[in-house]
């Protein structure tokens, strides 16, 4: 994980009218808040922010926030990002100040690595959970959660308890849910949908799952 430099300007005016003027000037209304600091209203450069999102995506982003007129920088994470109905314009950005020495909860994208045996035989790889929440210190946050699917055959699945990210990164969960599975090929040639993925997950849930022994 790296801290991406993000520049901002303080703003005083709030409300819909002020927000519209900011967006018309290619700026994004934003707020930064933290446990031990007062919230601050900011304006971000829309072009700069959009470039960051295009390069890094919107998940698990951490910034070195520099506000003009101040000498201090703040380590923050992207907490929320609102866009218009068509996903073309940024409406508002929420930034949360973080303590680099304390654990945080952040969503990380799941990435399948390799080509499974089942796919080679005609099966379909389905990523049931495309992102997972992890708890760790900011600097330990992985860019993606890479799962090797090479040994998965048709009918096999990877459950959350099968994923080991090391002792410093935990994936909170109450049930051993399915993350990735390989299902038999469809007979009608249609692409799988989210409903198909949900149905596949229910089938996998019904199958017996081996539990890890307690250490």
């Amino acid at each position: 994980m790296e801290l991406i430099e993000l520049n901002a300007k303080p703003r005083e005016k709030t409300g819909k009218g002020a927000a519209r003027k900011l967006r018309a000037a290619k700026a994004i209304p934003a707020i930064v808040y933290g446990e031990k600091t007062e919230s601050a209203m900011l304006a971000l450069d829309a072009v700069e922010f959009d470039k960051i999102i295009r390069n890094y995506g919107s998940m698990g982003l951490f910034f070195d926030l520099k506000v003009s007129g101040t000498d201090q920088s703040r380590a923050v994470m992207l907490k929320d990002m609102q866009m218009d109905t068509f996903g073309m314009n940024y409406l508002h950005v929420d930034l949360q100040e973080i303590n680099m020495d304390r654990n945080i909860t952040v969503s990380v994208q799941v990435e399948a690595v390799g080509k499974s045996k089942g796919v080679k035989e005609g099966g379909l790889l389905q990523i049931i959970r495309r992102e997972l929440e992890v708890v760790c210190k900011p600097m330990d946050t992985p860019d993606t959660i890479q799962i090797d699917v090479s040994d998965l055959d048709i009918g096999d699945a990877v459950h959350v308890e099968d994923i080991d990210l090391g002792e410093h990164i935990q994936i909170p969960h109450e049930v051993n849910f399915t993350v990735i599975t390989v299902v038999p090929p469809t007979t009608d040639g249609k692409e799988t949908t989210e409903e198909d993925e949900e149905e596949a997950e229910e089938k996998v849930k019904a199958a017996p799952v081996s539990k890890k022994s307690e250490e």
Side-chain angles (χ1 to χ4, degrees):
M1 188 277 293
E2 64 176 310
L3 290 179
I4 305 166
E5 184 173 321
L6 179 65
N7 298 298
K9 296 180 180 180
R11 64 183 175 99
E12 297 180 357
K13 296 181 179 180
T14 60
K16 294 183 179 180
R20 281 195 294 267
K21 289 182 179 179
L22 273 179
R23 290 190 285 267
K26 295 186 177 180
I28 309 171
I31 184 173
V32 59
Y33 55 87
E35 292 182 1
K36 299 182 179 180
T37 57
E38 293 185 3
S39 301
M41 311 298 290
L42 304 174
L44 307 178
D45 183 280
V47 175
E48 177 190 7
F49 187 77
D50 183 65
K51 185 177 180 180
I52 291 173
I53 296 299
R54 290 181 183 275
N55 288 338
Y56 297 93
S58 60
M59 296 178 58
L61 285 187
F62 299 89
F63 300 107
D64 179 17
L65 179 66
K66 300 182 184 298
V67 182
S68 61
T70 65
D71 297 329
Q72 296 181 340
S73 61
R74 304 164 72 173
V76 302
M77 66 180 293
L78 177 61
K79 192 65 176 178
D80 191 24
M81 182 178 70
Q82 300 175 20
M83 303 191 72
D84 63 16
T85 306
F86 304 101
M88 299 294 293
N89 300 297
Y90 302 96
L91 300 180
H92 195 273
V93 170
D94 286 10
L95 302 171
Q96 180 180 348
E97 188 167 12
I98 55 177
N99 185 330
M100 301 299 288
D101 297 322
R102 293 179 58 184
N103 283 344
I104 60 171
T105 301
V106 60
S107 294
V108 179
Q109 184 176 353
V110 172
E111 179 183 358
V113 178
K115 189 169 184 179
S116 76
K117 296 177 182 178
V119 169
K120 293 178 181 178
E121 296 173 0
L124 300 173
L125 181 75
Q126 292 185 343
I127 302 179
I128 305 298
R129 300 294 182 101
R130 298 188 179 275
E131 60 184 67
L132 295 173
E133 281 194 345
V134 303
V135 176
C136 60
K137 292 181 179 179
M139 292 304 296
D140 292 329
T141 306
D143 294 328
T144 60
I145 297 175
Q146 296 187 342
I147 301 176
D148 187 354
V149 299
S150 303
D151 293 332
L152 292 186
D153 210 335
I154 294 176
D156 290 343
V158 175
H159 298 83
V160 64
E161 291 182 3
D162 300 323
I163 303 173
D164 183 7
L165 300 178
E167 61 178 334
H168 300 298
I169 307 175
Q170 304 298 323
I171 305 176
H173 60 280
E174 295 182 357
V175 296
N176 190 17
F177 56 80
T178 304
V179 179
I180 293 178
T181 185
V182 179
V183 299
T186 56
T187 57
D188 55 8
K190 294 181 180 179
E191 295 184 357
T192 57
T193 65
E194 292 183 1
E195 293 180 357
D196 296 327
E197 293 182 356
E198 292 176 359
E199 182 179 352
E201 182 177 10
E202 292 301 322
K203 290 181 179 179
V204 175
K205 284 181 180 178
V209 177
S210 60
K211 296 183 178 180
K212 292 185 177 181
S213 58
E214 296 184 357
E215 297 182 353

